[in-house]
Amino acid sequence: MSAPIPVTRPLLPPLEEFIPYLEQIWDSHQLTNGGPFHQQLEAALAQYLGVEHLSLFSNGTLALMTAIQALRIKGEVITTPYSFVATTHSLLWNDLTPVFVDIDPHTYNLAPERIEEAITPATTAIMPVHCYGIPCDVDRIQQIADRYGLKVIYDAAHAFGVQHQGESLLRHGDLSVLSFHATKVFNTFEGGAIISPDAKTKQRIDYLKNFGFADEVTVVAPGINGKMSEVNAAFGLVQLRHIDQALLRRQRIDERYREVLASIPGIRIVWESREKHNYAYFPVLVTPEFPISRDALYQRMRDDNILARRYFYPLISTFPMYRGLDSARPDRLPVATELSQQILCLPIFDGLDDAQFDRIIQVIVTASKEN
Ligand SMILES: *Cc1c(COP(=O)(O)O)cnc(C)c1O
């Protein structure tokens, strides 16, 4: 059988570029706690992303949990069922109740017109996700938040480097949270970040990620250990030198997919960016027009060792710790339910070669001619 084609493959810079950083860490004996590489990466990422205040974390999930703590969120939080489980797990770990709201069929993100009807006296926040790096309707979400006095925390795990209305998408909401997990476009093996709107908020978050220590003898909050190590930060610095090239190569693959798939009946391409995007995913819908089901096509690909993924299926709202919620009922989430049954994310990564691309297309074309 042909070699496996994963849905994504982590970006790895040349190893020899990383070694001098490791030598420096060995020489200095500073392994963590806001060392020089941590500080450099915070500054470099803030500049690259076009934001002012960024706090590094050891992973995106701890960053989400800390963002919730930083804003002292209570009660109910409106969120999307169409995401990775960490979005809502971070709410449960903070003793909050997720309230699922259906998504928009074009953006795959929280449908703004459905948010308002889900607000109750217990609602304190909205946690939308920029799914696949597609921008949420940030303006309408902010209007609703302002009208009802709600906080907005964006799970921006997919949105590294995405621009919206001429500026970083990460500038919206009260906080935005990134993930630098190995499967994301920019990775530090494991890692994450919170983007704050001002220095005071960043300060509070920096205390929270270090047990609440403000100085050697002062603990100001019941913090956690969310710190990024020097090894991870150094890796991020090396990777940052290569990220633009990697995004460009992802863009080319995205363009080729669009060209080739446009003519295949039953395969719907989801959304096209008009601004700087990151091409983190290449989702398509396998609609009822296609001769075989999404799951059958997924299986055909697996049989040929093409490891496409059904992001996001099953919906978060169907997992045992959520499905008892009133808002988790599938009849209340018709759009998310239908999309989760049709979605298929095709392999896209820096290094996906022509032969691999052709193999992927071949399976889809062959299936499209069945009957
Ligand atoms: C990856 C991801 C996370 C979790 O990030 P980790 O760094 O893996 O903890 C959270 N939300 C979404 C939408 C993700 O894709």
Side-chain angles (χ1 to χ4, degrees), residues 108-124:
Y108 299 75
N109 294 321
L110 273 184
E113 69 276 11
R114 304 291 307 277
I115 293 176
E116 225 163 327
E117 65 199 37
I119 296 172
T120 76
T123 311
T124 62

Side-chain angles (χ1 to χ4, degrees), residues 163-178:
Q163 298 270 121
H164 184 58
Q165 299 168 348
E167 59 170 15
S168 171
L169 181 57
L170 305 170
R171 300 179 73 89
H172 292 276
D174 293 280
L175 296 172
S176 284
V177 177
L178 288 167

Side-chain angles (χ1 to χ4, degrees), residues 59-61 64 83-84 86-87 129 155 157-158 179-181 184 191 281:
N59 63 64
T61 304
L64 277 173
S83 181
F84 181 62
T87 307
V129 179
D155 180 340
H158 301 179
S179 165
F180 307 142
H181 182 257
K184 308 301 204 264
Y281 300 85

Side-chain angles (χ1 to χ4, degrees), residues 174-367:
D174 293 280
L175 296 172
S176 284
V177 177
L178 288 167
S179 165
F180 307 142
H181 182 257
T183 53
K184 308 301 204 264
V185 279
F186 173 87
N187 86 85
T188 56
F189 281 49
E190 293 268 5
I194 300 180
I195 285 84
S196 300
D198 52 68
K200 187 161 166 267
T201 310
K202 171 175 160 55
Q203 178 69 266
R204 176 164 168 74
I205 285 165
D206 289 345
Y207 291 155
L208 281 172
K209 79 174 187 190
N210 187 28
F211 310 100
F213 278 109
D215 61 44
E216 211 176 296
V217 293
T218 316
V219 176
V220 295
I224 193 141
N225 182 0
K227 304 187 301 296
M228 178 181 279
S229 84
E230 283 294 274
V231 174
N232 298 96
F235 185 79
L237 283 168
V238 180
Q239 176 144 226
L240 204 49
R241 298 190 198 139
H242 299 271
I243 189 70
D244 280 332
Q245 278 301 319
L247 295 186
L248 216 58
R249 286 188 288 259
R250 280 177 175 273
Q251 182 176 4
R252 295 219 185 90
I253 296 164
D254 179 284
E255 287 163 359
R256 286 188 66 198
Y257 269 135
R258 281 172 199 277
E259 256 174 60
V260 179
L261 296 176
S263 58
I264 298 184
I267 297 289
R268 217 174 87 209
I269 298 167
V270 302
W271 175 85
E272 190 154 8
S273 176
R274 269 156 265 105
E275 292 187 86
K276 183 169 179 258
H277 195 56
N278 63 18
Y279 311 97
Y281 300 85
F282 195 85
V284 297
L285 295 181
V286 184
T287 69
E289 243 193 291
F290 198 72
I292 63 174
S293 70
R294 184 276 312 268
D295 286 339
L297 179 60
Y298 165 81
Q299 193 52 51
R300 289 291 164 81
M301 296 185 111
R302 285 198 84 87
D303 293 346
D304 198 31
N305 232 346
I306 298 164
L307 308 177
R309 294 291 299 268
R310 292 167 290 186
Y311 297 137
F312 286 99
Y313 167 86
L315 292 180
I316 299 178
S317 47
T318 66
F319 292 126
M321 61 299 291
Y322 300 107
R323 65 182 170 220
L325 294 168
D326 217 37
S327 66
R329 280 168 37 193
D331 59 305
R332 297 199 162 182
L333 305 168
V335 179
T337 301
E338 182 173 312
L339 291 176
S340 77
Q341 287 158 1
Q342 298 185 354
I343 199 78
L344 192 60
C345 286
L346 303 180
I348 186 166
F349 51 85
D350 181 19
L352 183 84
D353 64 29
D354 289 352
Q356 291 173 317
F357 184 83
D358 292 344
R359 250 174 76 197
I360 297 161
I361 296 301
Q362 183 66 44
V363 176
I364 299 172
V365 168
T366 305

Side-chain angles (χ1 to χ4, degrees), residues 112 116 119 139-150:
E116 225 163 327
I119 296 172
D139 295 332
R140 283 181 70 192
I141 290 173
Q142 195 57 52
Q143 276 167 16
I144 296 166
D146 289 343
R147 194 173 317 137
Y148 292 89
L150 308 177

